[in-house]
Amino acid sequence: MTPTETKRYVHHAQVRYADLDPQQHVNNVRMLTYLEDARVSFLNLGSVARGDGFGAMVVARQEADYVAPLLPRTDPVRVELWVTQVRNASCTLAYEILDDERVYLKASTVLVGFDVATQSARRLNDTERALLAEYS
C-alpha cells in the first residue's frame, strides 16, 4: 500500500437466488443489505465489552450509485469500505461492491454515534476515532 492509498475493510457477499429481481439481477434493496452486512462486520472490530470497540451507531444518511447490474454468480463479490470523514459525532464510510472485473455499486453512509439510554446523538470516543483512523 502506497502512502496515498487508503486501507479498505473487505467483506465478502454471496449472491443468493432470493436476492434476484424479475430482471434476474441483484435487487437494489439487496445491494444495500450487502452494504449493511459489511458495515456491521466492520463495526464489530474490537469489543465494546473490553472498551476497544465501537459503541452504538445509527445511519443518518445513505447514498448509492448503481454502476452495473450484478448478475447471478457462484463466487462472492467484495464489499470494500473505508472511512472518508470523521467529525465530532459522526463519520462517513464509502463503499464499493466489486469483483476483479468491474464495480457494481458505489455508495456512502453517514453514521452518528448514538446513546441508547438517552436516545440521542453522542460524540465519538477516542477508541472509535482510532479504529476509524485505521481505514481513513
Side-chain angles (χ1 to χ4, degrees):
M1 188 162 65
T2 66
T4 59
E5 290 179 334
T6 300
K7 179 179 175 183
R8 292 183 175 200
Y9 180 83
V10 178
H11 177 81
H12 292 94
Q14 185 62 56
V15 174
R16 300 167 307 189
Y17 180 76
D19 297 343
L20 304 179
D21 63 16
Q23 291 77 32
Q24 294 302 301
H25 62 263
V26 175
N27 180 278
N28 62 326
V29 174
R30 291 293 191 185
M31 298 279 270
L32 297 179
T33 301
Y34 295 172
L35 301 182
E36 178 184 30
D37 291 344
R39 183 172 58 252
V40 168
S41 179
F42 174 72
L43 292 175
N44 282 329
L45 291 175
S47 166
V48 175
R50 288 192 317 256
D52 64 353
F54 287 99
M57 307 281 271
V58 294
V59 173
R61 179 179 178 83
Q62 188 155 284
E63 294 182 22
D65 293 319
Y66 299 90
V67 179
L70 179 54
L71 302 174
R73 56 190 295 136
T74 56
D75 294 330
V77 288
R78 293 190 316 273
V79 183
E80 297 184 2
L81 73 82
W82 62 99
V83 178
T84 59
Q85 184 178 52
V86 179
R87 303 186 70 179
N88 289 332
S90 68
C91 64
T92 303
L93 305 179
Y95 313 78
E96 288 181 338
I97 296 177
L98 70 162
D99 59 24
D100 291 339
E101 297 176 17
R102 71 174 40 108
V103 173
Y104 300 96
L105 179 135
K106 294 181 179 188
S108 66
T109 301
V110 176
L111 295 175
V112 175
F114 191 71
D115 184 322
V116 176
T118 63
Q119 293 291 297
S120 61
R122 64 166 177 84
R123 290 186 176 271
L124 300 179
N125 63 43
D126 291 341
T127 300
E128 291 167 326
R129 290 178 177 286
L131 288 168
L132 293 168
E134 291 182 41
Y135 293 90
S136 297

